């Protein structure tokens, strides 16, 4: 790769070279293939060793473990990695390579005995990438998901999935929460194939792909002239749209939604509550095992900053506290952790 390897560099452990380290597993599938590839690259860099067939390392499942958990044991040149699923095995492989680097020992001298599982089920990154390739509040170059309103799937996006999985993250929102222009069409035929291709790359590393969703999509994609979450024709439109979306993108984890903010329509536009909007979408996507992440950054963007009776810093609290307990089980409320005391 021409870009930095970040925490996936495998610098040589000096004085510890060996010819080969062998692997045995009866497990198959794309995620296991990624685990094997990571071991091969890691051993080549750390020890100059080839990954061969044998019993130095064994990969296996133990369904008693957490689905994303792993058990790693190593001593006397032998190692066993067990996972509660193929993703757990992958996390165990990453743990082995990390521990080898921190130990700095020869393979035959390395020991390990650890069992771990995540305490948080959703571990996500939100990207604010725009489909023209720009990034809102981005300070490190252009998007590697989008360019000129097209979706990129290449070596860099695949290595990005490796980087993310290595630190245990399992969800990625690829587009800016302020959804407009081409991004509104991510849930249409125009982009289904490329979104599905990218989601499959993520799935190999145990990552669910999420999309930021335009709450006004029914109005902008040829549906009803309203986005009222309690209006029957709007609900029917969303049901048909989600049926189409999940049929084409089965690895989709759900949607991030920002409504009633910065001039964009939302439930308040129609005299409804934020819970009405979030729950309508959540009920529809529930049958697909998906979730709705609902942004709490809701405030009056036309307010006069000189009006001290309007407290923008309290807006999120004021708008949501009355609905505490009203949200359905597959709704997550996301506050704005920003760099400003007001936000």
């Amino acid at each position: 790769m021409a870009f930095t390897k970040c925490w996936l560099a495998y610098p040589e452990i000096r004085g510890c070279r060996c010819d080969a380290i062998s692997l045995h597993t009866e497990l198959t599938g794309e995620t296991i293939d990624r685990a094997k590839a990571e071991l091969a690259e890691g051993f080549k860099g750390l020890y100059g060793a080839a990954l061969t067939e044998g019993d130095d390392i064994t990969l296996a499942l133990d369904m008693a473990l957490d689905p994303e958990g792993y058990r790693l044991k190593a001593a006397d040149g032998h190692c066993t990695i067990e996972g509660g699923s193929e993703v757990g095995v992958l996390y165990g492989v990453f743990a082995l390579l990390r521990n080898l680097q921190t130990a700095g020992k020869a393979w035959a001298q390395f020991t390990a005995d650890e069992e771990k599982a995540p305490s948080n089920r959703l571990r996500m990154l939100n990207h604010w990438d725009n489909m023209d390739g720009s990034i809102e509040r981005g300070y490190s170059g252009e998007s590697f998901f989008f360019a000129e309103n097209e979706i990129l799937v290449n070596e860099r996006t695949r290595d990005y999935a490796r980087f993310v999985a290595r630190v245990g993250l399992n969800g990625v929102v690829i587009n800016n929460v302020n959804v407009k222009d081409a991004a509104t069409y991510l849930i249409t035929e125009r982009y289904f194939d490329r979104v599905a291709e990218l989601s499959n790359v993520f799935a190999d590393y145990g990552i669910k792909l999420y999309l930021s969703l335009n709450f006004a999509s029914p109005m902008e994609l040829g549906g009803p002239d309203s986005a009222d979450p309690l209006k029957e024709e709007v609900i029917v439109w969303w049901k048909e749209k989600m049926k189409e979306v999940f049929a084409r993108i089965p690895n989709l984890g759900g949607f991030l939604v920002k409504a009633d903010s910065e001039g964009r329509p939302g439930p308040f536009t129609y005299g409804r509550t934020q819970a009405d909007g979030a729950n309508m979408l959540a009920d529809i996507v529930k049958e697909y095992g998906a979730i709705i992440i609902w942004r709490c950054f809701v405030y009056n963007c036309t307010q006069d900053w000189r009006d001290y009776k309007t407290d923008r810093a309290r807006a999120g609290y004021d708008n949501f506290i009355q609905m505490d307990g009203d949200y359905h089980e597959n709704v997550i409320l996301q506050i704005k952790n920003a760099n400003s005391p007001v936000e």
Side-chain angles (χ1 to χ4, degrees), residues 3-136:
F3 41 91
T4 177
K5 293 187 177 183
C6 299
W7 43 86
L8 286 178
Y10 296 114
E12 179 183 356
I13 300 175
R14 296 183 180 277
C16 297
R17 291 181 66 84
C18 60
D19 293 332
I21 298 173
S22 61
L23 170 70
H24 170 75
T25 185
E26 296 180 4
L27 304 178
T28 60
E30 296 294 334
T31 300
I32 295 302
D33 288 344
R34 299 300 174 267
K36 291 178 181 178
E38 204 65 43
L39 286 172
E41 182 165 342
F43 291 149
K44 180 180 178 181
L46 298 175
Y47 297 118
L51 183 66
T52 60
E53 293 186 8
D55 61 359
D56 291 339
I57 301 174
T58 300
L59 305 181
L61 295 180
D62 182 346
M63 306 310 290
L65 293 170
D66 182 277
E68 294 183 296
Y70 66 85
R71 181 186 300 116
L72 167 64
K73 292 189 176 184
D76 302 321
H78 293 278
C79 173
T80 300
I81 299 173
E82 296 171 305
S85 68
E86 288 80 2
V87 174
V89 172
L90 177 66
Y91 288 160
V93 165
F94 282 131
L96 170 62
L97 293 170
R98 180 175 61 249
N99 288 336
L100 286 170
Q101 292 179 83
T102 56
K105 295 181 179 180
W107 172 251
Q109 298 173 333
F110 173 72
T111 61
D113 187 357
E114 67 179 45
E115 182 177 324
K116 293 188 177 181
S119 58
N120 192 328
R121 284 295 165 207
L122 181 62
R123 307 175 300 280
M124 173 183 285
L125 288 175
N126 288 176
H127 286 261
W128 280 16
D129 293 28
N130 300 313
M131 294 200 65
D132 62 2
S134 64
I135 301 176
E136 185 169 340

Side-chain angles (χ1 to χ4, degrees), residues 28 128 146 152-153 201 215 249 262 269 276 292 302 321 343:
T28 60
W128 280 16
F146 307 112
L152 305 177
V153 182
V201 170
F215 189 78
I249 316 170
E262 299 177 307
T269 306
D276 289 334
I292 295 296
T302 64
I321 188 60
E343 295 174 339

Side-chain angles (χ1 to χ4, degrees), residues 122 124 210-211 213 215 238 242 246 252-258 274-275 277-286 289-295 327-334:
L122 181 62
M124 173 183 285
Y210 294 78
L211 294 173
L213 189 68
F215 189 78
W238 277 116
M242 290 302 151
F246 283 96
L252 192 64
F255 299 94
L256 173 64
V257 184
K258 179 182 178 184
Q274 296 297 299
N279 291 340
M280 179 272 291
L281 289 171
D283 289 347
I284 293 171
V285 304
K286 184 177 181 179
I291 64 173
I292 295 296
I293 304 163
W294 193 265
R295 285 289 301 275
Y327 292 88
H328 295 176
E329 63 181 8
N330 61 327
V331 175
I332 293 176
L333 297 181
Q334 184 189 68

Side-chain angles (χ1 to χ4, degrees), residues 213-225:
L213 189 68
N214 186 343
F215 189 78
S217 290
M219 303 162 62
E220 298 185 20
L221 295 178
D225 60 358

Side-chain angles (χ1 to χ4, degrees), residues 83-286:
S85 68
E86 288 80 2
V87 174
V89 172
L90 177 66
Y91 288 160
V93 165
F94 282 131
L96 170 62
L97 293 170
R98 180 175 61 249
N99 288 336
L100 286 170
Q101 292 179 83
T102 56
K105 295 181 179 180
W107 172 251
Q109 298 173 333
F110 173 72
T111 61
D113 187 357
E114 67 179 45
E115 182 177 324
K116 293 188 177 181
S119 58
N120 192 328
R121 284 295 165 207
L122 181 62
R123 307 175 300 280
M124 173 183 285
L125 288 175
N126 288 176
H127 286 261
W128 280 16
D129 293 28
N130 300 313
M131 294 200 65
D132 62 2
S134 64
I135 301 176
E136 185 169 340
R137 299 193 186 185
Y139 309 105
S140 300
E142 298 292 294
S143 171
F144 48 77
F145 291 133
F146 307 112
E148 299 179 348
N149 293 330
E150 296 295 336
I151 298 172
L152 305 177
V153 182
N154 52 33
E155 180 190 9
R156 192 175 188 187
T157 47
R158 292 185 179 90
D159 279 325
Y160 167 83
R162 293 174 60 217
F163 296 154
V164 170
R166 171 65 181 265
V167 294
L169 301 180
N170 65 358
V172 174
V173 181
I174 62 172
N175 62 307
N176 190 350
V177 71
N178 297 311
V179 184
K180 58 185 179 180
D181 302 326
T184 299
Y185 290 82
L186 285 170
I187 58 171
T188 70
E189 182 67 35
R190 182 188 300 183
Y191 292 112
F192 279 153
D193 287 345
R194 291 296 273 180
V195 174
E197 184 180 358
L198 183 57
S199 74
N200 289 337
V201 170
F202 284 1
D204 293 347
Y205 288 93
I207 303 164
K208 286 280 189 180
L209 185 148
Y210 294 78
L211 294 173
S212 292
L213 189 68
N214 186 343
F215 189 78
S217 290
M219 303 162 62
E220 298 185 20
L221 295 178
D225 60 358
S226 169
D228 184 344
L230 298 188
K231 198 169 184 177
E232 185 61 27
E233 63 178 334
V234 173
I235 296 172
V236 169
W237 186 90
W238 277 116
K239 285 182 177 179
E240 290 301 314
K241 173 53 66 177
M242 290 302 151
K243 181 179 179 180
E244 179 187 19
V245 168
F246 283 96
R248 298 294 298 274
I249 316 170
N251 187 50
L252 192 64
F255 299 94
L256 173 64
V257 184
K258 179 182 178 184
D260 285 313
S261 181
E262 299 177 307
R264 299 296 292 161
F268 285 170
T269 306
Y270 306 96
R272 313 302 189 184
T273 68
Q274 296 297 299
D276 289 334
N279 291 340
M280 179 272 291
L281 289 171
D283 289 347
I284 293 171
V285 304
K286 184 177 181 179

